[in-house]
Amino acid sequence: MTTLTYRQVLHDTLAQEMTRDERVFLMGEEIGVFEGSYKVTKGLLEQFGAKRVKDTPIAEEGFVGAAVGAAMLGLRPVVELMTINFSIVALDMILNHAAKIYYMFGGQTPVPMVIRTPGGGGQQLAATHSQNLEVFFSHIPGLKVVAPATPYDARGLLRSAIRDDDPVLFLENLGVYDVKGEVPDEDFDNDYTIPIGVADIKRNGTDVTLITYSRMVHTALEVAEQLQHEGISCEVVDLRSLRPLDMPTILQSVRKTNRAVIFEHDWRSYGIGAEIAAAIQEEAFDYLDAPVLRVAAAEVPLPYSKPMELAAMPSGEQLVSAIRKTVSKRW
Amino acid sequence: MSSGVDGKTEEVKAAVRGNMEARASRAELLSYFRQMLMIRRFEEKTAEMYKKAKIGGYCHLNLGEEASIVGALSTLDSRDYIYTNYREHGYALARGMAPGAIMAELFGKEDGCSKGRGGSMHLFDNNLHFMGGYGIVGGQLPLATGAGFALTYKGEDGVVIAQMGDGATAIGAFHESLNLAKLWNLPVIFLVINNLYGMGTPVEKSSAVPELYRRARAYDMYAERVDGNDVLAVRDAMQRAVRLAREDKEPSLIELMSFRMKGHSVVDPDRYRTNEEKRYYAEHDPIQAYEEQLIAEGILTPEMIETTEAEIEREVESAVEFAEKSAFPKPEDLFQFMYATSVPNAVLEVKTY
Ligand SMILES: Cc1ncc(C[n+]2csc(CCOP(=O)(O)OP(=O)(O)O)c2C)c(N)n1
């Protein structure tokens, strides 16, 4: 095992997959000469050349669409969108085209492409640059959406995403790039993958299930550790994939702990938490000792000012009080 | 009006016309006639089937655009790819798709070229490199550009046609695609069928530059405007564009001046065009004109026309029979084709209680 940052793991995995498969190429704004806005593609232009590391103009619809067309002809594009906020400009290509082509043409042409993009607030970038739009994409049949939290999962899921024949949205988060974690040494187990659609129990517990993903996994694990001292035992389910969603793992955990709190970075209404809470009450109502609670972002465009931004984002404190309420049995 | 826009005088045109066999072989000339007639009869039958409610949804016909379609596709070979908009039955036929597979798709049947999942706007055939009709205006253009990139990447010498209507040249995807194709030297031919209207809006009201080929000049791209009712003129221009794409990896834009004989779709009562205008189109039927030329040059005889008509009628009839006989896709196959790579935990069933 070695300890690497999430950013380093993404970089290494891209390089490995490009070495392994000639069809894999990278495309995006400023990923070559500039080495990526978040430096994930550092050195890759030098290593693989301009044919395989394509700097694009600022034209998200045009180049995401070009990736769809290239994928239809058998290439495996990995597109970097500078941030998920700019995916909005390319929505037609993602929702109407990448997501629909395999189905609408009767299974004749798969669209094997990956869109990597970071999201999330906390950097004082204000309303248009601080969004979590994973719900938009998770709503759409035909797309696969993954949001790994750890370097280990990022490597396994990026490999699966690149090797998958369907369009996969690979969601990163500005808060995870510097997270460190253990990954197997390259010499030993250098080819593990993590299946898309399978959640992971990041911590075992008996009193309440915390359901979360991406950056919030780390906060949830800290909170779980803290509450352990009070005698509250939290199980932490890391979704890893948002579509397809691993309901069997969620339900199994909730049936064990009888309580659930969902902790998400996106807006609350119509969110991932809304979906999961509804599914839990449909499938596991009899097991519940308390209503399912959701801790999510405040429903405002994210403000610039630091204290305001922090007030709008979901916090560990909010999670703690939701957990306390849930286990208090005072309903 | 649209014809004559290539700027040639009538005498020059007549002189060129007088020498058809110098421009294409007799067999080619006759096959263009046959293909155009096939599209015409197929689309007439399609309108009839729509009125009988055999076909649902939107349905956009190519009536009047046959010379543009046949001329454009005549220059492609099996290495090449085509992406079109939703007005694409004629392109599918000219590319060699079986009329039965198209009609079955229009009927929503399992034997349709997209297995009944796509309908009129979404014909597809991987084997023929017919990469789809697309219902979102301009949606096909970035995809076609990406296909051009893939060919270059793989070192193949195919070219890609990105077909569109005049209305599509206003959308952002058009400009982004032209820019990328020129920037990356992609073998893409942007083929604009200027039938003078996007639904009810005349091109002068939707484009600040109604001479659409001039838009390509902004991207330093080779562009031509051609009489789309003259199959051989279209062929000539497309040969230039194909050579540019295949040999020089240069994209280009070809604007074909055409018209549609009927409304935007089968259900459009076509109130925005004057009777005079519609009469003009009826009198300038490109198939009629081509037929007369072929007869004048002794290439086609009335007997040959009769035989061809009879053959095509039988083909169209059997396409309808094929579509009728084909089964509807089974509702239990609703989730088939959701994923090319299957996933654990995907819910692929209708939730019932
Ligand atoms: C993005 C988008 N906007 C609007 C429409 C509705 N629409 C369908 S066809 C059409 C007109 C397009 O005209 P043109 O590009 O000239 O093609 P033609 O129908 O003449 O082949 C419109 C507005 C659409 N399908 N997609």
Side-chain angles (χ1 to χ4, degrees), chain B residues 294-311:
Chain B
L294 289 172
I295 291 175
E297 297 203 19
I299 297 166
L300 192 66
T301 62
E303 298 74 51
M304 287 161 78
I305 298 173
E306 215 171 289
T307 322
T308 311
E309 285 276 16
E311 280 169 13

Side-chain angles (χ1 to χ4, degrees), chain A residues 62 73 103 108 197 282-283, chain B residues 126 154 176 334 345 351 353:
Chain A
L73 262 65
Y103 189 91
Q108 288 182 80
E282 275 186 327
E283 307 279 341
Chain B
N126 230 351
K154 295 194 277 187
E176 295 189 20
L334 187 61
N345 302 315
K351 191 103 181 142
Y353 296 100

